Amino acid sequence: MSLTLYLPKDAAALALGADDIAAALTAEAAARGIELRLVRTGSRGMVWLEPLLEIEQDGLRHGFGPLEVSDVKSLFESDFTDHAKALGPVEDIPFFARQTRLTFARCGVIDPLDLNAYRAHGGMAGLERARGMAPEQIVAEVTESGLRGRGGAGFPTGIKWNTVLQAEGPQKYIVCNADEGDSGTFADRMLMEGDPFCLIEGMAIAGLAVGATRGFVYCRSEYPHAIRTFGDALEMAREACLLSESFDIELRVGAGSYVCGEETALLNSMEGKRGTVRAKPPLPAHKGFMARPTVINNVISLASVPVILAEGAAHYKSFGLGRSLGTVPLQVAGNVKHGGLFEAAFGMTIGELIHDICGGTASGRPVKAVQIGGPLGAYFPVTLFDTPLGYEECDAAGGLIGHAGIVVFDDTADMGAMARFAMEFCAVESCGTCTPCRIGAVRGMETIDRILAGDPAAPAILADLCETMRDGSLCALGGFTPYPVESALKYFPEDFTPRQEAAE
Ligand SMILES: Cc1cc2nc3c(=O)[nH]c(=O)nc-3n(C[C@H](O)[C@H](O)[C@H](O)COP(=O)(O)O)c2cc1C
């Protein structure tokens, strides 16, 4: 008898014991004389259900989770049907059923290193279409789709590509930003671990569009599984002639600095220099890597391109709201009941996502706020939960959507301490180039301490300091640090009342 089972091997599933489950499944199958084919996939993104085992029955993938090793024997005894951990068809689980999976369509479904499975699930259709198009046509299709950079700034991808297409240069480059430094974000990692060929395909299309023959992926060293899986995928793509001299990709590993996610610091790091920001202009599109015209895009921006080319710009932009078109992988973490990756059309409200889909906090206490867009994103109190998740909409509410990481806090969170942490984070991570960022963050910590000690002069000083940091920093590190500080002060003034220990 033979049996096929699917089990994730992405970092989150491994951290929750997926390899132990795999070993137990293998041993149990052997003991029963069953020939087991265990397909190791990426994650579906429902982290609270990991390790999530799947089996195909009647054409549908049925799930079991979160599994413990002690469940394995009874799973076989139940013949993978009526079991306490049975979840039914995975795609019917409400968290999954309510998603629009375009970029993550294959993630958690196929073996990430199976090129045949990639093709069988729609992979390569975008690149094949692009090969029959002129560079200008590819750029026009991406522009028409409305795709905007998913790395944070939301700059239109097609316009960036067009600048590089028009730029003169003997060599052009595609650089993929996989630094993913924002707290609570994991979409880039999940994509690289779960569907690496999708990123390779997106980069190859970008190369065709702008006339680049070399690509680089800059990934943080804290992602060993992504590095391994993506590195293996590169080798396989070369063997399959998907990558060749006409377009090849090199994987570079950063040493772990938040500011190296900023595109110009990233380029310096890739060139072997200190990771400090460069003044713009020149734009990387004109003078980027080694002073050559360079496209720098986030993993998700590039991984969204294959489906745009395969299905057409009109299909992609039929999702979304206003100027935020297509889908966005919302990453929900922190104190949340059902956390994970939720790919949705732009426009869902924060409240719908956090309360209806993610089930509120893990602690069961009321939600106090969410922080959107990483450690330098604003806090949104529940009174702003009717804000739709879109670039302009989050901006109008005083924040940013950024890389779409959302961290949930319950009513016990101390927002005064969180605001101080934002300043501390900036002080630690500042590259030192801009004085308002380098010095301002240190003075910011001191000034918050003075507020917490009851100094009546300190709030006005902090307001001035925030303004100076915002206006006087080259990059968003110093420029965005005021977001969490000001939103914490505005919505949670009670968390800034003098504290006994600070006053003593
Ligand atoms: C301090 C700082 C850190 C950043 N970190 C990242 C990062 O980890 N990943 C990323 O894609 N973009 C990051 N960015 C944004 C990049 O500078 C850049 O906008 C992005 O790579 C462009 O790609 P996109 O247009 O596809 O979003 C960061 C920006 C700043 C100011």
Side-chain angles (χ1 to χ4, degrees), residues 149-152 160 177 179-181 258 261-263 296-298 301 475-477:
R150 303 288 189 250
K160 189 183 284 190
N177 190 340
D179 201 52
E180 196 159 61
Y258 182 74
E262 193 281 332
E263 57 189 15
I296 304 190
N297 273 135
N298 171 256
S301 316
C475 89
L477 180 49

Side-chain angles (χ1 to χ4, degrees), residues 147-157 160-161 175-182 185 188 218 220 257-266 277 280 295-302 376 391 402-403 425 429 474-480:
L147 179 67
R148 293 166 71 177
R150 303 288 189 250
F155 189 81
T157 306
K160 189 183 284 190
W161 287 19
V175 173
C176 170
N177 190 340
D179 201 52
E180 196 159 61
D182 285 352
T185 60
D188 299 353
Y218 184 91
R220 55 179 25 236
S257 146
Y258 182 74
V259 85
C260 282
E262 193 281 332
E263 57 189 15
T264 61
L266 184 153
V277 298
K280 287 189 265 189
V295 165
I296 304 190
N297 273 135
N298 171 256
V299 172
I300 304 304
S301 316
L302 288 162
L376 309 178
Y391 293 102
H403 188 46
F425 182 85
E429 299 290 347
L474 274 179
C475 89
L477 180 49
F480 284 3

Side-chain angles (χ1 to χ4, degrees), residues 199-347:
L199 177 56
I200 293 174
E201 185 181 350
M203 290 180 71
I205 295 170
L208 285 177
V210 304
T213 54
R214 292 194 67 193
F216 293 88
V217 173
Y218 184 91
C219 185
R220 55 179 25 236
S221 59
E222 292 92 333
Y223 279 178
H225 304 97
I227 290 166
R228 194 171 320 131
T229 305
F230 192 75
D232 289 349
L234 285 181
E235 301 241 325
M236 296 176 75
R238 265 179 223 118
E239 274 164 30
C241 297
L242 217 151
L243 292 175
S244 64
E245 274 184 10
S246 53
F247 187 76
D248 205 351
I249 299 174
E250 198 180 305
L251 178 60
R252 295 281 181 93
V253 178
S257 146
Y258 182 74
V259 85
C260 282
E262 193 281 332
E263 57 189 15
T264 61
L266 184 153
L267 291 173
N268 275 349
S269 173
M270 274 187 33
E271 292 176 10
K273 299 173 184 151
R274 276 187 66 188
T276 54
V277 298
R278 300 176 182 173
K280 287 189 265 189
L283 293 172
H286 292 126
K287 284 189 174 185
F289 183 56
M290 307 303 280
R292 303 292 189 219
T294 303
V295 165
I296 304 190
N297 273 135
N298 171 256
V299 172
I300 304 304
S301 316
L302 288 162
S304 299
V305 168
V307 72
I308 291 170
L309 266 290
E311 303 289 335
H315 176 72
Y316 192 75
K317 74 176 193 187
S318 68
F319 301 95
L321 168 83
R323 291 184 50 224
S324 305
L325 299 173
T327 60
V328 56
L330 302 161
Q331 303 131 79
V332 191
N335 190 342
V336 61
K337 190 172 178 198
H338 295 157
L341 184 135
F342 189 93
E343 183 177 350
F346 283 99

Side-chain angles (χ1 to χ4, degrees), residues 32 40 98 162 179 186 195 238 412 414 467:
R32 291 168 181 265
R40 300 301 298 268
R98 292 176 72 172
N162 193 43
D179 201 52
F186 42 87
D195 197 12
R238 265 179 223 118
T412 63
D414 177 346
E467 210 170 304

Side-chain angles (χ1 to χ4, degrees), residues 60-95:
L60 293 174
R61 294 264 283 263
H62 289 248
F64 299 86
L67 283 191
E68 290 168 34
V69 168
S70 56
D71 294 317
V72 167
K73 202 172 171 20
S74 54
L75 267 172
F76 277 85
E77 278 160 6
S78 75
D79 204 16
F80 296 89
T81 50
D82 191 19
H83 189 273
K85 296 278 175 81
L87 299 163
V90 173
E91 299 198 356
D92 290 349
I93 296 172
F95 186 95

